[in-house]
Structures are given as C-alpha cells and as structure tokens.
Amino acid sequence: MRLLKYLLVIFLLTRLTIIYAQSTDLEFEHFTTADGLATNWMIRCPIAQDTQGFIWVGSDNGLHKYDGYNFTVFTHNDDDSTSISSNGIRAIHKDSKGRLWIATISSLDSWNPDTESFIRYSFADSLGSIYSILEDNKGNLFLDFLKTLKKFDPETGTVIKSYNQNDKDKILALANNYVPCAYMDKNNILWYGTGNGLIKYNPQTSEIKLFELAAARFYNYSDKTVFAIAEDISGRLLIGGERSLYYFDRKNESLESLRNLKNNSLSIFAPEMSKSERLYYGYYIFQSPTSKEYWIGIEQGGVNRFDSSGNLIKEYKKDFTRSIFEDRSGVLWLGTYSNGLYKANPSGSNFEPKGYGMSKLNTLSGQHILAVKEDNSGNLWLGTEEGLYKYNFKSKDLKQYSDQTGNVRGLGSGRINFIFMDRKSRIWVGTWIGLSLYNPESDSFTTYYIDSKNKDAANNLFVEYEASPGNLTFGIWDSYKNYVRYYSFNLDEVSGKGTFTYNPDFYPTYALKHNGGKIKEISEKTFAQDFPNLTFHSILEDKNGIIWEGASEGLFKYNPINHQYKLFTTKDGLPVNTTGGILEDNGGYLWIANSAGLLKLNPDNDSFIHFGKEDGLTNNLFEEYKAAYKSKSGLMYFGGFNGLTVVDPERFKSNTVKPEVLITGIKIFGKSLSITEDGILKKSISLTKNIELAYNQNDLTIDYVGLHYKNPGK
C-alpha cells in the first residue's frame, strides 16, 4: 500500500500543467558553488539535455548533472576506470540516437545511463583536447582536435577516417593558428571561425576557402576574427565578429555586414551607416526554436536579446558569452566563463505595470489598491488608502489627488473605496467621507454627503449601482448591523445639487446577457435568501451564461437556468477559500483574485492553475471587492495590498511538455541501493522496470524528480 501511494503521487505529477509567460523581460536565476557547482570557472561551459531530461553542464573542474533541485558532480578518479577521463570539459554532444558524448582535455567519453558511469575512448596518437564534437547527417561524429580531424563511428566506438593532415595544417595556417569555433551545416560542410576570417572546409573533397571579413559588403571596421557561427531557423548562416554581425550567402559565397537581424530581406543592409548607430557583434549566436528570438553574446559585455524580426528587446549586462541552450520545456540556460550558470525565468514584469510601459504606476505612495477603472478619455484611475491617481496612457502622466499632496481639489477623502463610471461616462469616486463627481474641465471634484450637516457620519460609500442612465444607487456598509444600507441618488443637472434618499427595500439586480433570454436578471436578495451562509465579494456572468461569485467561503458557480450550483474550496484544490475580483479574458478563461495569488480557470472543465510569487507575481494578497477591471484593450488589472497587478492573457501560454517523472534513488531501511551485477539493482533505478525484494525488506524510501525546469517548485 505504501508503494502504491508513492506511485500515485508520481502519476499525479505527470498530469501537471504548467503555464509560462511569453515575456518582454526576464529575470535570471544564478547558480554558483553555493548552489552545488564544483566551480564557478566554466570556461567553455557546454550545456546539453539527455533523453531522460537531465541537464548536463561542463566546467573546468568536473561535469554536472542537474535534476532541477540538485547538482551531481562527476570528477576524474585515477583508481576508477569508469570515472570521467578528465575534469576539464570542452564539449558535450547528444547524438541523433540520444547518446551523450563528452569531450575532455584528454579524451572522448560517453555516458552509460544503465551503470551511471563513463566509457573512455583512447586514440593511438596523442592528440590532446577535442575542441568540438560535430555530427553529420549520417550520424557520424567529427572530432575536431587542434592539429587533426577524425571521423568517429559511435556504433563501433572507432575512428573510421583521419582526414588529410595537410588539410588541417593548411586550415591552421590560414587561421593564424587561432580557431575559436567550428560548425557543420546540413550539407556536411565544416565552417571554422578563425583569427583571419571564415574558413569553409569540405572533408570529402578537401576544398578549403578563406573568406575575410574585410571583403564583406558594407564592411567599414577593422574586423578580422570570427568568434561565432550559427544557422538560424530560416537557414541563414550568421557570423559573429569582433565588431559586427555578418550574413554569409552560401549561394554566392559572400559576406554582408548586418546592422540588425530582420527576416530574410536584404533591404535593411543599407550601405549608409550613421556614426551614432549601434552595431551588434557576437561572441555567441543563438536563435530560440520556441520564441524565435535571437540572442547575441558579447565578450565581457553581456548578451543582447532580439525579437524574431531583429528588433532589440533588451541588453543584459551579464557575463553570458560562452554558451546558450534551450531545453525541451523552453527554458534558456546561459553559460559563463568564470561566473557559473544562469537560467532565464519569466520576470515579475509580466504582472507589473513596468512590463507594460507603465513604470510610473510602480511609484504610488499608497500601494494598497482598492479600486481600478478606465474612463473613455484614455485615463486609468486608481484608488488607494492614501489617495486617488489618474494615469494617462498616451502622455504617461500620473496625477495624484490626495490630502498628503494638498492636491485634493474637492475630493471628499484620500481613502478611496470605489471608482465608478456611469452610462454617461461620468467618473464617480466613493470615499471614506462622501461621494465625489469628477469634472474634467476644471480637473476637480464635487463631493456630496448623505448627511451634509455631519460629514463624518454615515458617509463611507463603497457600493455603486446604476439601473438605468442616471438612476444611481450607492451603498454604505453598516459594520454594526452587518448589512448594506442603500441610498438612491439624484443629481439636478441644472443646479448641480445632489440628493440622497434612503431606500431600505432596495436590492441590486444583475441583468444577464448570455442566458438565451430564459432568465433576464438575478437579484442580490435572491442570492441572500438561497445562500445565506455565503459572503459574496464579486459577481461575473461568463460568455456561456454561468454566474461566478467570489466569496469568503470559496468560489461559487451557479447555472441560473437549471439552478445547479457548486462551491469550490480548498478541498477542491483552491489555495485559499477567500476569493475576490473575477474577470473573463477574450478567450473565455476566468482570472480570479484571491488572498494567495491569481487563479486562471477553464470554465469548460473547471480546471485551474494558480499563480503565485514563484511565477513572478509580486502581489499575492489581493483586494476582495472592487479592485478588478478589464480594459478595452483586453488587459486586466487587479489591485492588492502591494500595488497593481497587470495581466495580458496573450503572454501566458500553456506549456504542453509534461514533466519527465523519474525515480532517482531507492533506500531499504535508510540505506541506498547500489548498482551491482549480482545485487538487487543491476542498473540505474531510473531505467529499472522492476525489482525483487524479500518479504522483510519492507521499509522503502523512494526518491523521484519531475524534470521540468520552468518551475521545479510547482
């Protein structure tokens, strides 16, 4: 029964759905010796992912295997012939059949996942380090030593051809003995980046050609050395030099200097270059197969990130120049020379105003957002405990109306309970003391009081309702009697006088739009009578006519046609019961604020995903009532206790890559099982289908991982 319980947990992990952001910004998780690396000196820092899903990272002091939680370090042991041949790792290559090959400063090794050990391959002549492992379209490996090139058969583990030594001597002579990089294209042509330019080498014909960067079209710098060679998704051969990027036209065998990367059009490669124009050069070039973004590494200067059209997204001033790798779940890994390893994570700016060009909204003096509303004049209104703010999308201006700034301009109070736009597009603000109407011509407010003689009594307005144009009702929460007192409000358009009339029999009625005409409205009184034990905070009718209400007791789903309902609570997987604002995005998904983050709910099957701090959310505690608003553009705003959260549903895509769930260890009575030929475990536990135990070997501990690096904690 215990084993069944473990296996059930593992099965559930495979059903996990992960959401990730198509972000405009990234944050980087930094791994160093403090996190388990053997050294921060990664030198070339080769990175690969094996067939099981583990990440492998080479360094100058050993080989690392990472499972999302811990690093396992493999180092050379003179007394163990199955250990890695050397600690200095120069290249890692996963071949077309999934085998992992490691080039060290002394030999070539392959990883044996069955025995979790290495197989070493020696060569008759002392050749030194292998600088690159390249694979042709037939599955053969080309081992590039400094002085020679060998064709290696991975099936037999033997060299099947050593190429003409004269060829390599000629290449080295043309390269001025400096070869920073090598690349093999789909036609099995080898390309070398050298100190004198780009060299093309055909191993079959011994054809060797040197292409000097000085001969490139639009070349106007003293550029000589090629540090990077890459082929983008469209098949272009991109070259990284000291001072510029280049495109190599294989048909015409010519180079062109690029000012930017844009599609396949050559119209951008204009010969006129202004002196102030920034040129991007590359010590490492990578294009993401998932996002189609380009990453260009710069020596000791960080990395530049471009979109698929070649527009600069951002420059990251970090030491990302040695390697860039994307795993199969879409996570980017960036290697350094001497500063460890980085992993790119979606930034909190996917949820923050600054990620949408609204950085000023991160500077509000009062970060407890109680109300959010967009008017018809291009303004976003925010209400806090310390004032009212008006942000103009076009001018980016932010204006504060507050007692603290002295810029009250007729506002009843600096404590804002709600912001309401009526059907005449007028902005009403419910405050701690009175109801304020905004006058855009004078940029001021007129405040109305329920009790004008005693403005501090019974004027805390926080509920608004409009049954028809101009027919306004506002409510006050009576904290002593625990109910809402409603007042009808009439505004004399001529005199500007406002009058409140107490309406003890009033209950707000919600008009339904998507119920097929069978039911036209639902009243708050009906809900109160039918569900007296629920405290409702928000209400929304989705596109299918289903009513959703956020309550202190959970999330309430109600079908007004057949009167079926369901209450979702922590028993159904909610992180907390208290739910607040509910919005529906253009795709029909619901976004629900709660006191532990945000939920994205699929109303077709009632499944949901929780977003918290681990997803970049900076505000986990959201306001229960009026601080949720969907703009005309589809952006959704949620106010909380730590500022404003912005959600663009288009940024959040389902990652369909399931976690690779692997058993990584097994213990009997607390002692780990080792791999032995005559023991219980004859090969790696992650590749073992079954084991046979005696009846009294009944105290088992099973270690497992879910290999998905987007968010291992989830």
Side-chain angles (χ1 to χ4, degrees), residues 578-650:
T578 303
T579 54
I582 306 173
L583 299 176
E584 183 178 24
D585 67 26
N586 293 337
Y589 292 94
L590 302 185
W591 293 77
I592 304 160
N594 58 68
S595 56
L598 283 176
L599 295 177
K600 181 182 180 182
L601 185 143
N602 183 345
D604 294 334
N605 56 19
D606 293 342
S607 64
F608 55 84
I609 296 170
H610 174 240
F611 292 93
K613 287 186 177 180
E614 66 273 17
D615 302 290
L617 199 64
T618 58
N619 187 12
N620 263 22
L621 186 59
F622 288 94
E623 181 59 41
E624 296 175 357
Y625 296 96
K626 299 297 181 181
Y629 180 75
K630 179 183 175 183
S631 71
K632 304 179 187 70
S633 65
L635 287 182
M636 294 181 290
Y637 300 92
F638 293 92
F641 287 78
N642 192 32
L644 184 68
T645 293
V646 187
V647 175
D648 179 0
E650 293 301 316

Side-chain angles (χ1 to χ4, degrees), residues 146-149 163-177 208:
L146 179 62
K147 297 292 185 180
T148 189
L149 178 70
Y163 284 89
N164 192 325
Q165 186 64 46
N166 292 331
D167 288 356
K168 201 62 191 287
D169 289 342
K170 185 177 179 180
I171 290 171
L172 288 173
L174 289 173
N176 197 23
N177 284 317
I208 300 173

